[in-house]
């Protein structure tokens, strides 16, 4: 297939009016409409580390700043760092700060944590296993920045941030502002509620109401509970002197001029400078040279569900476990709507009808009837005004050609189910082939058919051949209301739906596509 990977050539119109390829669309079985990524709501189901698959709840991941404490990425090439073990030989009185330069390393993969070794003088010195991080792609390691080897796994601490105190100060300040704003909204909401603390002036009505219904005591208690909220200080009032406002940021008025001889100096080495990407990966520190690069904690990724904005039902629901790639609910439009591709088009002629071939593939596991309409036929029907309005706007502004089918009557084709064929399916396929119109259907093989159409270019100034037509097929949806519950679930509903299919045949100067071997 010449256009197998060119999925952008054939697009379907979403319910919002945009055109997307079928593999990027969803189909809601409740409202029976096509949905794109702008028509669904994203919901995070779980957060996990892509390296060790550690699964955390949302509040725990936020506490860790969405970073894994066990896995690290290389600051140079962003690949996952590997933990390596080695033996280090220390002196008789070991020091707490041991660097790779002050120790002697032995072979890797040692089983004993602490062993004994003999030095040159014959004295027994303790040997201890230590760990460091290394990248298997660019060969960067924590020893390149003279980072101390750790005695245990996963004991690397985060790099100190000199601005952490300032960030915490601002965070606490804005939390106080958010709390006061919430209290202000609550004060305004409760102040509009009329507390019925007084009854009518007539003594008989007051006595009978309080004695019969007992309304006075609950209203009094409610007024006591809300008295604290009603007396909440507003945002314009002075704040607590114990928590003063943070110091305002100081503007740098004078910036040091760059020394012109800096780059001409022989001691300056461009290879030791970090790139913009490396600095932004460590945005807290933004190291200038490569000897200040620090291992980056692995960012968490997430599994997301997608929910229809119109009917609030899920169209995509993955399994909660990060190790599973299956879906609980997977309503891709590719599984419910026939897929159309360009099979052949000739060298374009401006004056004649250009014969083209389109392939249609049924992805459903049941036989489907597909009806094909031109844009003019939908206008003549005049039944769906919303569809006609979209067609007129689309035809005037975008389309550069007119698509025509060989049959003038109602065009309907039977699509075989997308299943593994057997002897029965072969017989059904032969029967469908005999009932096909030879002018329209020129090829059939189980769930795949090829139809013929003609393209008439509108004007001589056309640079790109753009055309469209309408397809109609039956879909089985899910009823939102079930009058009689059944053990199999909700009652399915069946309805015919129509879709606008937009085809981009390419440039008018493009050469003809090769004809498929089945058609020669």
């Amino acid at each position: 297939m010449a256009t197998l990977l060119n999925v952008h050539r054939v697009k379907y119109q979403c319910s919002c009016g945009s055109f997307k390829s079928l593999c990027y669309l969803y189909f809601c079985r409740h409202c029976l409409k096509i949905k794109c990524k702008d028509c669904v709501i994203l919901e995070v189901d779980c957060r996990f580390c892509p390296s060790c698959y550690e699964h955390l709840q949302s509040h725990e991941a936020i506490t860790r700043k969405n970073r894994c404490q066990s896995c690290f990425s290389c600051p140079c090439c962003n690949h996952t760092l590997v933990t390596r073990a080695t033996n280090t030989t220390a002196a008789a009185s070991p020091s707490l700060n041991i660097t790779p330069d002050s120790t002697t390393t032995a072979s890797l993969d040692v089983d004993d944590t602490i062993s004994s070794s003999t030095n040159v003088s014959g004295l027994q010195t303790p040997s201890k296993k230590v760990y460091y991080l290394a990248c298997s792609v660019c060969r960067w390691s924590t020893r390149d920045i003279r980072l101390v080897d750790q005695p245990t796994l996963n004991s690397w601490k985060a790099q100190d941030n000199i601005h952490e105190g300032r960030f915490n100060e601002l965070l606490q300040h804005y939390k106080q502002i958010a709390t006061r704003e919430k209290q202000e909204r609550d004060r305004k909401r409760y102040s509009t509620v009329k507390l019925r603390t007084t009854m009518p002036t007539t003594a008989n009505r007051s006595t009978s109401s309080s004695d019969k219904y007992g309304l006075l005591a609950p209203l009094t208690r409610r007024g006591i509970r809300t008295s604290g909220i009603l007396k909440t200080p507003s945002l314009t009032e002075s704040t607590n002197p114990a928590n003063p406002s943070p110091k305002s940021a100081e503007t740098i008025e004078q910036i040091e001029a760059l020394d012109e001889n800096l780059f001409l100096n022989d001691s300056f080495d461009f290879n030791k400078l970090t790139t913009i990407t490396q600095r932004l990966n460590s945005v807290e520190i933004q190291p200038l040279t490569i000897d200040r690069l620090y291992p980056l904690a692995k960012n968490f990724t997430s599994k997301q569900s997608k929910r229809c904005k119109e009917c609030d039902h899920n169209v995509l629901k993955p399994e909660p476990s990060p190790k599973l790639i299956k879906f609980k609910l997977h309503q891709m439009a590719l599984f419910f709507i026939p897929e159309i591709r360009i099979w052949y088009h000739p060298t374009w002629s401006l004056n004649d009808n250009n014969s083209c071939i389109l392939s249609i593939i049924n992805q459903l596991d049941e036989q489907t009837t597909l009806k094909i309409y031109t844009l003019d036929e939908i206008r003549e029907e005049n039944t769906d005004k919303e569809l006609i309005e979209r067609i007129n706007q689309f035809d005037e502004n975008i389309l550069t050609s007119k698509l025509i089918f060989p049959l003038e009557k109602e065009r309907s084709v039977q699509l075989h189910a997308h299943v593994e064929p057997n002897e029965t399916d072969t017989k059904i396929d032969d029967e469908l082939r005999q009932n096909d119109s030879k002018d329209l259907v020129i090829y059939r093989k189980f769930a795949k058919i090829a139809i013929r159409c003609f393209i008439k270019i509108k004007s001589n100034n056309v640079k790109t051949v753009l055309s469209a037509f309408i397809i109609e097929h039956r879909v089985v949806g899910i009823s939102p209301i079930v009058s009689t519950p059944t053990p199999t679930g909700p009652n399915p509903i069946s309805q015919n739906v129509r879709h606008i299919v937009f085809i981009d045949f390419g440039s008018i100067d493009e050469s003809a596509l090769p004809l498929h071997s089945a058609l020669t």
Side-chain angles (χ1 to χ4, degrees), residues 140-155:
W140 181 91
S141 68
T142 53
R143 296 184 172 184
D144 295 344
I145 59 174
R146 300 183 181 275
L147 188 63
V148 179
D149 294 344
Q150 301 298 322
T152 58
L153 291 172
N154 304 328
S155 58

Side-chain angles (χ1 to χ4, degrees), residues 173 176-177 180 233-246:
H173 174 67
Q176 294 176 5
I177 294 178
R180 293 200 302 271
S234 61
L235 292 174
T236 57
E237 297 180 10
S238 60
T239 58
N240 188 0
N243 297 323
S245 300

Side-chain angles (χ1 to χ4, degrees), residues 39-110:
C39 301
V40 295
I41 303 173
L42 298 181
E43 297 178 352
V44 177
D45 290 342
C46 69
R47 291 179 171 88
F48 63 96
C49 174
S51 182
C52 64
Y53 297 107
E54 182 184 5
H55 180 203
L56 295 178
Q57 298 296 331
S58 297
H59 63 278
E60 296 178 356
I62 293 174
T63 304
R64 293 189 183 182
K65 299 181 180 179
N66 287 322
R67 290 181 179 271
C68 182
Q69 297 180 350
S70 305
C71 304
F72 297 88
S73 298
C74 177
C76 292
C77 62
N78 210 26
H79 284 80
T80 304
L81 294 177
V82 181
T83 303
R84 293 185 178 178
T86 182
N87 275 354
T88 180
T89 303
S93 57
S95 178
L96 294 178
N97 296 327
I98 301 175
T99 59
D101 296 340
S102 61
T103 59
T104 305
T105 58
S107 59
L108 300 177
D109 301 331
V110 182

Side-chain angles (χ1 to χ4, degrees), residues 119-405:
N119 56 10
V120 178
S121 60
L123 298 177
Q124 296 290 332
T125 57
S127 178
K128 188 177 181 180
K129 182 185 287 187
V130 292
Y131 303 91
Y132 67 98
L133 298 175
C135 179
S136 58
V137 178
C138 65
R139 301 301 179 184
W140 181 91
S141 68
T142 53
R143 296 184 172 184
D144 295 344
I145 59 174
R146 300 183 181 275
L147 188 63
V148 179
D149 294 344
Q150 301 298 322
T152 58
L153 291 172
N154 304 328
S155 58
W156 284 271
K157 297 181 180 180
Q159 193 174 11
D160 295 334
N161 185 6
I162 59 176
H163 306 289
E164 186 175 0
R166 176 65 173 173
F167 289 153
N168 293 335
E169 185 182 6
L170 294 174
L171 182 61
Q172 294 298 329
H173 174 67
Y174 287 114
K175 279 184 178 180
Q176 294 176 5
I177 294 178
T179 302
R180 293 200 302 271
E181 288 179 351
K182 183 178 183 300
Q183 291 176 353
E184 180 74 13
R185 291 193 299 267
D186 294 341
R187 187 183 68 83
K188 292 180 180 179
R189 184 171 72 247
Y190 284 107
S191 62
T192 57
V193 178
K194 296 181 180 180
L195 302 177
R196 300 179 181 180
T197 56
T198 58
M199 303 305 293
T201 57
T202 306
N204 294 334
R205 293 182 180 179
S206 177
T207 305
S208 61
S209 298
S210 60
D211 293 340
K212 185 176 181 180
Y213 299 104
L215 298 176
L216 188 58
L219 289 174
T220 305
R221 289 195 298 267
R222 186 184 302 173
I224 294 173
R225 287 196 302 267
T226 57
S227 61
I229 299 175
L230 295 177
K231 295 179 180 180
T232 301
S234 61
L235 292 174
T236 57
E237 297 180 10
S238 60
T239 58
N240 188 0
N243 297 323
S245 300
K247 184 180 178 181
S248 302
E250 298 180 358
T251 304
I252 301 176
E253 298 179 355
Q254 295 182 355
I255 302 176
E256 287 187 34
L258 182 64
D259 187 6
E260 298 179 355
N261 298 325
L262 175 64
F263 301 104
L264 301 177
N265 192 356
D266 295 336
S267 61
F268 185 82
D269 189 1
F270 282 98
N271 296 325
K272 294 182 179 181
L273 291 178
T274 56
T275 62
I276 297 297
T277 304
Q278 293 172 351
R279 297 180 192 179
L280 295 180
N281 287 336
S282 303
V283 68
E284 303 91 347
I285 309 299
Q286 298 187 15
L288 182 61
T289 56
I290 59 176
D291 57 352
R292 296 184 59 190
L293 292 174
Y294 199 85
L296 305 174
K298 205 76 173 178
N299 291 324
F300 280 150
T301 186
S302 62
K303 280 192 170 184
Q304 298 177 345
S305 298
K306 297 185 179 180
R307 187 184 298 273
C308 176
K309 289 184 179 179
E310 186 173 349
C311 63
D312 203 29
H313 287 88
N314 283 325
V315 296
L316 188 68
K317 183 72 174 177
E319 291 286 347
S321 176
K323 295 183 180 180
L324 298 177
I325 60 174
K326 297 181 180 179
F327 292 88
K328 287 184 177 180
L329 184 65
H330 198 189
Q331 295 182 1
M332 294 294 295
L334 192 65
F335 303 148
F336 298 92
I337 302 174
E339 182 183 7
I340 299 175
R341 293 177 180 174
I342 303 173
W343 226 17
Y344 169 77
H345 71 76
T347 303
W348 300 106
S349 174
L350 298 177
N351 300 324
D352 301 333
N353 291 336
N354 301 275
S355 178
C356 301
I357 300 176
L358 304 177
S359 67
I360 304 176
I361 304 174
N362 181 26
Q363 300 290 349
L364 292 173
D365 55 356
E366 61 180 6
Q367 187 173 333
T368 304
T369 301
L370 181 68
K371 296 182 180 180
I372 307 173
Y373 301 94
T374 61
L375 303 184
D376 295 335
E377 292 172 350
I378 299 298
R379 295 191 186 98
E380 293 175 0
E381 286 185 1
N382 198 18
T383 55
D384 192 345
K385 294 184 179 180
E386 181 181 357
L387 181 61
I388 293 175
E389 184 178 354
R390 287 189 295 170
I391 289 175
N392 293 335
Q393 183 179 5
F394 182 58
D395 192 6
E396 294 175 1
N397 301 329
I398 299 178
L399 299 184
T400 60
S401 62
K402 184 178 181 181
L403 191 145
I404 306 171
F405 292 101

